[in-house]
Amino acid sequence: LGLDLTKRLVAALGNDPKAIEAYGKGALIGAGGELEHGALWHVPGGYSMREILGNAKAIVPSATKVGGPGARIDIPLHHVNAAYVRSHFDAIEFGVADGPRDNEIAFILAMSTGGRVHARVGGLQVHEIKGEDGQR
């Protein structure tokens, strides 16, 4: 599931894995479930994105939430090779109007092809990334 969703997302963003600059993942769990059901998505969701994107160095940020129909979740984003690149700190909101129902779960992957428009918080810049440890 993780590899298929990752390939579909990369295709939707232009089919060039090198163009992806930020990523994140999450799970929205119906009220009959528990947060730990969403935690099961950490490994297949994160490792599939890192693999398809050329072994990205940074940990994939994530969020999980239990909620009823109409619940929304913000999926955090940060740079694929350096978590401290502040221009890429962002989030993508996700929701399904009639879900999740009690016995449903949505596994979510999110990517972007750049940082925030007009980012000016300072800190580590994309051109300064060393890519050694996933942080800087």
Side-chain angles (χ1 to χ4, degrees):
L1 177 63
L3 284 173
D4 182 54
L5 287 176
T6 299
K7 289 175 184 176
R8 290 171 57 194
L9 184 52
V10 169
L13 291 171
N15 217 23
D16 180 6
K18 291 182 170 98
I20 307 302
E21 292 188 19
Y23 57 13
K25 65 183 182 302
L28 185 56
I29 303 112
E34 57 185 74
L35 286 177
E36 200 61 18
H37 294 132
L40 295 172
W41 181 233
H42 288 313
V43 172
Y47 281 106
S48 66
M49 286 198 291
R50 292 174 78 188
E51 179 182 330
I52 296 295
L53 299 179
N55 294 311
K57 301 287 185 205
I59 191 169
V60 183
S62 67
T64 57
K65 181 178 181 179
V66 174
R72 314 237 2 125
I73 186 171
D74 288 332
I75 305 301
L77 297 175
H78 70 206
H79 197 277
V80 298
N81 285 314
Y84 292 142
V85 176
R86 294 180 193 157
S87 60
H88 288 61
F89 291 176
D90 210 343
I92 295 175
E93 185 181 32
F94 174 86
V96 178
D98 66 344
R101 295 189 178 117
D102 282 353
N103 63 344
E104 293 179 331
I105 185 168
F107 295 118
I108 306 143
L109 298 180
M111 295 179 187
S112 76
T113 57
R116 294 184 320 281
V117 176
H118 305 299
R120 53 190 172 272
V121 180
L124 184 67
Q125 303 294 308
V126 171
H127 69 274
E128 298 172 322
I129 295 172
K130 293 182 181 174
E132 297 168 351
D133 59 7
Q135 296 180 20
R136 300 184 186 279

